[in-house]
Amino acid sequence: MEAPQIRDLVQRLGAAFGPMRWWPAESPLEVVIGAVLTQNTRWENVERAMGNLRRADCLALESLLALPEADLGQLIRPSGYYNIKARRLRSLLRFVAEHGGIDALADWETEPLREALLAVHGIGPETADDILLYAFGRPVFVVDAYTRRLFGRLQWADAKAGYESLRGQVENALGADAAVLNELHALIVEHGKRYCRPRPRCEDCPLAVVCTEPLRRAGG
DNA sequence: TACCAGGAGAAAA
DNA sequence: TTTTCTCATGGT
């Protein structure tokens, strides 16, 4: 994977799809919530769960933490894994509350904040980086299933490449530019949704990437 | 019916 | 240390 290739990818996908303006949320707290709910789950199902929270007037830190875990689980049920996600979400929200809320965390340096997020139960590297990039505007790249699949098909990285390796390569190539890293990840997801899943449409793909390998879960 | 989705942690090997 | 299993709803 070379820097000019990655910059070219941003250019081509940007020309094909236009600006993405991610993350699809109304506030940093909604980014935090959505980052947990979208773990291994279609975004459409996350939206159903977010809708339930909104209708229950539970999109604020205090109201969410006031909910019993079982009740929270029922509200987020459409996003799947609802028992696990209710616990993870409460762990994350407690972390936010204990450190003074979203605005207070915004004052943290990126690396300490990343380490602290990773120490929260249920927050792995992808979820932490979603939060860093889309809630706090930090220059980190999010490596997700779409990214692994596309980079694999472009033969830029083998399927076993580690999360930090891929993240580092992209960040080194594009520099510490949150706006560009934001756009690239959003464009990769858009590409995946339009041309890879649920049904491959390689004939229309602006990257001319062909789905050669079976459509199995890539990496982990 | 079977498979899959913008992961992460626990358990098993 | 690495691999496998588990969690779960909703769409195709």
Side-chain angles (χ1 to χ4, degrees), chain A residues 128-207:
Chain A
D129 290 338
D130 276 336
I131 293 168
L132 287 169
L133 178 59
Y134 293 109
F136 294 109
R138 306 307 171 87
V140 300
F141 181 68
V142 178
V143 179
D144 62 7
Y146 288 115
T147 308
R148 290 179 181 281
R149 202 175 299 134
L150 179 59
F151 285 8
R153 285 177 184 159
L154 292 169
Q155 298 184 316
W156 288 0
D158 70 72
K160 292 189 175 179
Y163 185 97
E164 297 301 332
S165 167
L166 289 174
R167 180 171 82 94
Q169 289 181 65
V170 174
E171 290 176 10
N172 288 336
L174 294 180
D177 187 333
V180 174
L181 295 167
N182 175 328
E183 200 63 11
L184 175 58
H185 175 236
L187 287 165
I188 288 172
V189 173
E190 183 69 15
H191 169 266
K193 285 181 173 178
R194 290 197 195 196
Y195 300 107
C196 305
R197 300 294 180 100
R199 184 160 302 157
R201 300 175 57 83
C202 306
E203 67 279 9
D204 299 324
C205 174
L207 298 178

Side-chain angles (χ1 to χ4, degrees), chain A residues 6 49-50 54 57 70 89 103 105 107 131 143 162 165 174 181 188 197 205 213 215 220:
Chain A
I6 299 179
M50 294 290 288
R54 184 169 285 110
D57 199 19
L89 193 49
D103 291 345
L105 288 173
D107 293 333
I131 293 168
V143 179
S165 167
L174 294 180
L181 295 167
I188 288 172
R197 300 294 180 100
C205 174
E213 79 270 29
L215 285 175

Side-chain angles (χ1 to χ4, degrees), chain A residues 14-192:
Chain A
F17 304 148
M20 292 290 100
R21 297 188 169 85
W22 260 32
W23 178 286
E26 303 285 319
S27 68
L29 182 64
E30 287 191 26
V31 175
V32 167
I33 297 166
V36 171
L37 297 185
T38 198
Q39 290 174 351
N40 205 36
T41 300
R42 291 175 181 275
W43 184 254
E44 292 74 15
N45 290 351
V46 174
E47 289 183 320
R48 294 169 191 270
M50 294 290 288
N52 287 347
L53 292 174
R54 184 169 285 110
R55 281 187 291 277
D57 199 19
C58 287
L59 278 177
L61 195 52
E62 299 74 17
S63 54
L64 277 166
L65 282 170
L67 276 177
E69 192 169 298
D71 293 356
L72 177 59
Q74 286 307 308
L75 288 172
I76 66 173
R77 190 171 173 135
S79 70
Y81 307 126
Y82 57 90
N83 290 314
I84 283 179
K85 286 179 179 175
R87 185 191 305 178
R88 291 178 180 178
L89 193 49
R90 280 178 59 83
S91 297
L92 180 56
L93 294 170
R94 271 199 304 273
F95 164 81
V96 173
E98 286 167 1
H99 292 86
I102 295 282
D103 291 345
L105 288 173
D107 293 333
W108 287 35
E109 297 290 331
T110 299
E111 276 311 310
L113 181 53
R114 189 169 197 270
E115 290 305 312
L117 287 168
L118 289 173
V120 175
H121 173 86
I123 307 304
E126 182 181 335
T127 307
D129 290 338
D130 276 336
I131 293 168
L132 287 169
L133 178 59
Y134 293 109
F136 294 109
R138 306 307 171 87
V140 300
F141 181 68
V142 178
V143 179
D144 62 7
Y146 288 115
T147 308
R148 290 179 181 281
R149 202 175 299 134
L150 179 59
F151 285 8
R153 285 177 184 159
L154 292 169
Q155 298 184 316
W156 288 0
D158 70 72
K160 292 189 175 179
Y163 185 97
E164 297 301 332
S165 167
L166 289 174
R167 180 171 82 94
Q169 289 181 65
V170 174
E171 290 176 10
N172 288 336
L174 294 180
D177 187 333
V180 174
L181 295 167
N182 175 328
E183 200 63 11
L184 175 58
H185 175 236
L187 287 165
I188 288 172
V189 173
E190 183 69 15
H191 169 266

